[in-house]
Amino acid sequence: MAYHDSKADKAIIDCVLEQNAKLFQNLGSDCSKAEYEKAKVQERQKLRRIIAHDPEKIGRLIKDSLDD
């Protein structure tokens, strides 16, 4: 399945993407680099848990997170 093929998969992916956005949204300019790195690790962990829902899209997101 893929993001656009299944409403259930889309809902799961959207939920995780929203959670990941909130991870970074809650970090302020006074946060340390270590806190940002911790958020990136958590982001990738969440993405890896749902990779089966759309391996191409989620794989690309994980790669992008590693490239930052």
Side-chain angles (χ1 to χ4, degrees):
M1 284 293 167
Y3 184 80
H4 296 290
D5 297 335
S6 167
K7 286 185 180 184
D9 288 336
K10 182 182 184 311
I12 291 168
I13 293 168
D14 285 346
C15 182
V16 170
L17 292 177
E18 182 179 347
Q19 291 172 9
N20 285 346
K22 287 179 182 177
L23 275 174
F24 294 98
Q25 192 174 16
N26 291 329
L27 294 174
S29 59
D30 60 335
C31 291
S32 69
K33 185 170 180 147
E35 289 173 298
Y36 280 97
E37 289 302 318
K38 182 179 176 184
K40 286 176 72 170
V41 168
Q42 291 175 340
E43 173 188 42
R44 288 189 299 272
Q45 288 172 341
K46 289 177 184 227
L47 290 171
R48 286 186 185 108
R49 283 190 222 129
I50 63 163
I51 199 164
H53 294 282
D54 191 340
E56 184 179 329
K57 181 179 189 72
I58 303 302
R60 189 173 61 249
L61 291 171
I62 291 170
K63 181 187 176 305
D64 289 347
S65 176
L66 289 169
D67 290 342
D68 286 344

